Amino acid sequence: MVMFLFLVVALAVVVAAVTLAVVGGGDNGPLPEAAPERLRDTLPPDRPVNRADVDGLRFPLAARGYRMADVDDALGRLGAELSERDARIADLESALAGARAAAAHISMDKSAPHREDEQP
């Protein structure tokens, strides 16, 4: 019975010491706040994003998954660059269509006989 009481008291002392250390007892005060994990390998700001940048992008974990702000920033950047590329592709396709139409018009003019060249 004495051994049981000794173990209960020892357990209570250990639990109290750990609780005081975590909550703020002792010489050092409470445990310092852990700095939140941040996105280290951001997308490059000085050039367009390429496939390797997207493949290497890793988001830091948070308490409930990923940090929403980091994911929103990356998706916003990717969306903006995709919009720019789509607009550039549309411009180039319209320029190509115009060049093809002009080339077709020139070739039709060359193949049609001129009235001056015709002999009666």
Side-chain angles (χ1 to χ4, degrees):
M1 180 75 178
V2 173
M3 187 64 160
F4 177 73
L5 288 176
F6 175 74
L7 288 176
V8 169
V9 170
L11 181 63
V13 169
V14 168
V15 169
V18 170
T19 303
L20 285 175
V22 170
V23 172
D27 297 333
N28 297 333
L31 292 176
E33 285 291 322
E37 190 175 353
R38 296 286 183 193
L39 183 63
R40 286 185 299 251
D41 298 327
T42 58
L43 298 173
D46 57 340
R47 63 176 172 79
V49 176
N50 60 29
R51 176 66 187 245
D53 295 330
V54 175
D55 287 343
L57 188 62
R58 297 291 177 259
F59 295 104
L61 293 177
R64 294 184 181 168
Y66 294 106
R67 293 182 50 82
M68 193 183 320
D70 291 338
V71 175
D72 288 345
D73 290 344
L75 290 177
R77 169 79 188 276
L78 290 173
E81 287 202 17
L82 287 174
S83 295
E84 288 176 17
R85 288 180 187 176
D86 288 345
R88 177 77 173 143
I89 289 170
D91 290 343
L92 292 173
E93 285 177 343
S94 67
L96 179 63
R100 283 183 179 164
H105 187 273
I106 290 173
S107 67
M108 287 179 62
D109 284 346
K110 286 184 178 180
S111 65
H114 295 304
R115 293 188 177 221
E116 299 169 354
D117 295 338
E118 292 179 8
Q119 304 231 349

